[in-house]
Amino acid sequence: MTFEVKPFVNASGPWLSPQDDIAAFKAHLAGAEQVECGGQVVAALTTWRNPMHPFLLRFATLTTPVADTVSQSELADVLITNVVARAKQNGQRGLMAVTPDTMSPLRSAMVSRGLRRIRTTFQPQLRLQEAQTAPVTLAPGTKLLTQSDILNSEALTEALIQTTYLAYQSRHAVDQVKPFAEKDWAPRILTNLEPTAPLALAQGETIGAYCLTYLRHGHLEFGGAWGADHGLLDGLLAYTLPALASRYETLAGAFSDTDEGGLQVYMTFPDQPEAKELGAFALLF
């Protein structure tokens, strides 16, 4: 079976790929290519760099109905070989795709060629009234902190910034985050924080747990959670989630199985069988 890789000319379709993959592809058309077999377009691919995680080259692939008629293993070889060559040419450490396509024959063929699943992320719409928290008595000296409590204390602001960065870094051991100066990381954490609910607890100037939520375009979004231990985060959630439920109906966001704190929040709610699932697949050199 002979495949030809040519510059992408947007002459193919319809695409059978998930909408997430189509959107990612269209957002990164520079350098896109299409794969043809027998004069027909069977697939397309594109790559890009993620400024926040610059060490693994991102890629997305699309397929047409014709792809089902060709060897999935041979097509996977063409796609992976192309992306690996791009990554090595740019001096990167590997490649990565994030996609809801986790079980297709082509994805399985890619896995057999070295890709491995490094993360699963769930994207539910959680109904805040359904959060299952229990009354908690906080240890003496423990303070619940809102946005204003944090921002009015330089020491607590610095502690939150450092704690969130270290927690984020630890969740991305494979897809490493670039080093950030405090001034660069701070806007990612402090901008658009929900202002009313407790977002952290502390003893003195030490952050013991946090659960960050953000207001974006009128919607409440989960932004990460962490606790020095499960009990501290449970203690915070017992106050944070009811406070949020008094003002908002739903909490959207991404909950990853590499994020212990995020999963603790996720499991505070009933099972979410309808939650969208994304798989992150990587190949390291």
Side-chain angles (χ1 to χ4, degrees):
M1 200 166 273
T2 302
F3 294 94
E4 293 183 276
V5 180
K6 300 180 179 180
F8 183 72
V9 294
N10 201 27
S12 58
W15 302 114
L16 293 183
S17 305
Q19 287 300 314
D20 291 62
D21 293 350
I22 295 173
F25 186 93
K26 289 182 176 179
H28 301 93
L29 287 176
E33 294 181 320
Q34 60 192 40
V35 181
E36 298 182 8
C37 183
Q40 293 182 291
V41 176
V42 296
L45 67 91
T46 192
T47 59
W48 67 95
R49 299 184 70 172
N50 182 322
M52 193 169 176
H53 297 267
F55 304 110
L56 302 185
L57 185 69
R58 265 48 180 182
F59 75 98
T61 59
L62 305 181
T63 58
T64 70
V66 183
D68 291 340
T69 68
V70 305
S71 166
Q72 300 299 286
S73 59
E74 292 181 41
L75 179 56
D77 279 336
V78 172
L79 295 170
I80 294 295
T81 298
N82 185 304
V83 179
V84 166
R86 292 187 185 198
K88 289 184 175 180
Q89 185 177 3
N90 289 314
Q92 292 179 281
R93 301 174 187 174
L95 48 98
M96 181 172 173
V98 179
T99 174
D101 171 26
T102 60
M103 302 292 290
S104 71
L106 180 59
R107 189 65 56 188
S108 297
M110 289 183 178
V111 168
S112 72
R113 277 146 184 78
L115 280 185
R116 63 184 179 95
R117 189 163 176 165
I118 63 168
R119 184 174 69 244
T120 298
T121 301
F122 302 97
Q123 294 181 324
Q125 284 279 346
L126 301 172
R127 293 186 58 81
L128 285 162
Q129 291 288 352
E130 295 178 352
Q132 300 168 346
T133 60
V136 171
T137 301
L138 298 178
T142 301
K143 297 179 293 184
L144 292 168
L145 307 173
T146 64
Q147 177 196 49
S148 61
D149 296 324
I150 295 285
L151 297 182
N152 288 334
S153 167
E154 183 176 342
L156 287 171
T157 299
E158 183 176 344
L160 181 65
I161 292 168
Q162 291 178 348
T163 303
T164 55
Y165 177 72
L166 291 174
Y168 185 86
Q169 188 180 52
S170 71
R171 298 198 296 267
H172 295 86
V174 176
D175 183 28
Q176 296 178 3
V177 62
K178 77 172 184 178
F180 274 91
E182 183 175 310
K183 65 180 179 62
D184 297 322
W185 184 253
R188 297 176 179 273
I189 300 303
L190 303 179
T191 305
N192 298 324
L193 279 170
E194 198 286 327
T196 62
L199 61 86
L201 59 77
Q203 288 211 332
E205 295 175 348
T206 299
I207 300 292
Y210 65 77
C211 179
L212 306 180
T213 57
Y214 295 88
L215 281 173
R216 297 188 175 109
H217 309 294
H219 299 285
L220 188 68
E221 297 181 7
F222 176 72
W226 170 88
D229 59 52
H230 287 288
L232 286 172
L233 182 52
D234 275 340
L236 173 63
L237 296 180
Y239 292 89
T240 299
L241 295 178
L244 292 172
S246 71
R247 296 177 62 88
Y248 310 97
E249 290 187 6
T250 61
L251 174 65
F255 298 84
S256 163
D257 62 359
T258 62
D259 176 6
E260 187 175 353
L263 285 182
Q264 192 171 339
V265 176
Y266 191 44
M267 291 186 292
T268 305
F269 293 83
D271 290 342
Q272 305 292 314
E274 302 302 318
K276 181 178 177 181
E277 179 181 328
L278 298 174
F281 297 85
L283 189 159
L284 305 182
F285 305 147

